[in-house]
Amino acid sequence: MRVHVQNDPDDPGFLITPDHWRRATAAEPPHAVSFGETTEDFLRVRDEVELLVGPPAALRPLRALLGPKLRMVFSNAAGVDGLAPLDWLPDGVVLVNNRGTHGVKAGEYVAMAALVLAARLPALMEAQREGRWLRLPAPPLAGRHALVIGTGDLGGAGARALRVLGVRVTGVNTRGTPHPDCDAVRPVAALDDLLPEADLLVLACPLTEATRGLIDRRRLGLLPAGAGVVNIGRGALLDDAALCDALDAGRLGGAVLDVFPVEPLPQGHRIWRTRNLVATPHLSCDDPASYNDRSLAILTANLRAWRAGEALPNRVDPARGY
């Protein structure tokens, strides 16, 4: 198969190299592979490329330039909202993502965020910076109730990590499909009934037209006083202005956000100075030491399924957006 890897030069820590490719495809039939970073690099090989590989930022400029032999696009990311709408995919071309790459780090991040919020560390750290002796004893995390929206790779890993810490977890997905790492799973239609019972809300679902703005000001108001919010999904799932209002007013206990509607988060943005809020720069699920190896292993598994005429484990449904 003729493969082209298009890298994003603005993200040098995650460039797919020939060494990554050789390690991942050692047991694969030989492929002719090229690597590039510019549109010109791609145009030189476009007419021969059957499999195009790259992160969304590198693929976006190529959407209107795809060649006649293309059969598959592999997005080196789980969320494909950066490529939406997906009507640019030619007939017969499949889009595959790297779902399954992020679980280990996602579980650790959710556990860290839950412990930070349960211990009221954001307020204690603010007091430390100000030189104030502030005693804020808090009950343990064990025994609390978390609502995890999204039960895919990210949400499932988060739920698993929380249950190890003694947290009762209710998962939320489109149809209420059971998940082995959740104590219960309910459909998204039940969300308004579930929010008042949540000590911790974890957002870990894809961004689609159905989930954009899912947690708006009204739904944030349904959370009980003192609840915590964690977002590792996408920034546009959540009304960040409403969240900041609730935190500044002391109605919610704290938040840990790793994703934002605009990234990088602009200087002077309110999130930087909101009380009891921890902001990390979209790194919760990424391990540069293993990310590309894991991703390409997932790609090769999909290629094996394709050659065998089986369903592709990571095929994206353009109608659903994930």
Side-chain angles (χ1 to χ4, degrees):
M1 177 175 280
R2 181 65 174 89
V3 182
H4 180 72
V5 177
Q6 188 78 357
N7 280 309
D8 176 11
D10 294 328
D11 197 9
F14 291 89
L15 300 181
I16 298 175
T17 67
D19 283 343
H20 288 131
W21 185 264
R22 282 193 291 270
R23 286 197 296 269
T25 61
E28 279 282 294
H31 302 292
V33 187
S34 55
F35 296 81
E37 295 182 359
T38 68
T39 300
E40 290 72 25
D41 292 335
F42 173 69
L43 290 176
R44 280 194 287 271
V45 298
R46 170 187 60 181
D47 291 344
E48 300 301 318
V49 171
E50 299 170 277
L51 168 60
L52 176 59
V53 176
L59 297 176
R60 273 196 299 272
L62 310 183
R63 289 177 293 181
L65 305 173
L66 303 177
K69 294 185 179 180
L70 188 67
R71 303 167 67 195
M72 178 185 291
V73 176
F74 176 72
S75 175
N76 196 28
V80 296
D81 49 286
L83 298 171
L86 300 178
D87 54 5
W88 54 270
L89 278 171
D91 290 342
V93 175
V94 298
L95 175 62
V96 176
N97 68 6
N98 73 350
R99 182 178 62 252
T101 302
H102 307 81
V104 172
K105 283 292 297 293
E108 290 181 353
Y109 188 95
V110 169
M112 175 276 297
L115 288 165
V116 161
L117 294 176
R120 306 182 72 176
L121 274 181
L124 293 171
M125 292 173 70
E126 181 179 353
Q128 176 187 337
R129 288 191 296 270
E130 296 172 352
R132 291 187 294 119
W133 182 263
L134 177 66
R135 297 191 73 250
L136 285 177
L141 178 62
R144 301 194 198 185
H145 178 218
L147 187 63
V148 177
I149 300 180
T151 57
D153 185 36
L154 304 188
R160 187 160 55 253
L162 289 171
R163 290 181 77 192
V164 169
L165 295 170
V167 177
R168 179 169 60 90
V169 177
T170 298
V172 176
N173 57 35
T174 304
R175 300 181 180 87
T177 306
H179 190 282
D181 293 308
C182 297
D183 295 287
V185 179
R186 300 286 302 280
V188 70
L191 189 54
D192 285 3
D193 294 330
L194 298 171
L195 287 166
E197 304 171 358
D199 300 305
L200 178 68
L201 172 64
V202 179
L203 299 176
C205 59
L207 178 63
T208 67
E209 288 310 304
T211 61
R212 186 178 298 275
L214 182 68
I215 304 299
D216 56 13
R217 186 174 296 273
R218 181 187 67 81
R219 282 184 164 147
L220 283 170
L222 296 177
L223 288 168
V229 176
V230 177
N231 190 1
I232 61 168
R234 285 291 187 265
L237 299 170
L238 173 69
D239 183 337
D240 59 323
L243 176 66
C244 289
D245 286 344
L247 292 170
D248 280 337
R251 206 192 71 76
L252 293 180
V256 178
L257 307 181
D258 186 57
V259 287
F260 309 92
V262 177
E263 296 181 3
L265 189 63
Q267 290 187 359
H269 195 287
R270 183 182 176 187
I271 283 175
W272 291 118
R273 60 182 185 275
T274 295
R275 60 183 295 203
N276 294 331
L277 190 155
V278 176
T280 59
H282 203 146
L283 47 68
S284 61
C285 305
D286 300 338
D287 172 13
S290 65
Y291 188 90
N292 286 336
D293 288 330
R294 288 176 181 268
S295 294
L296 293 177
I298 288 168
L299 171 58
T300 56
N302 279 267
L303 289 175
R304 287 194 295 271
W306 199 17
R307 289 195 298 270
E310 301 168 353
L312 304 186
N314 288 68
R315 184 169 184 171
V316 173
D317 180 352
R320 300 178 72 181
Y322 61 93

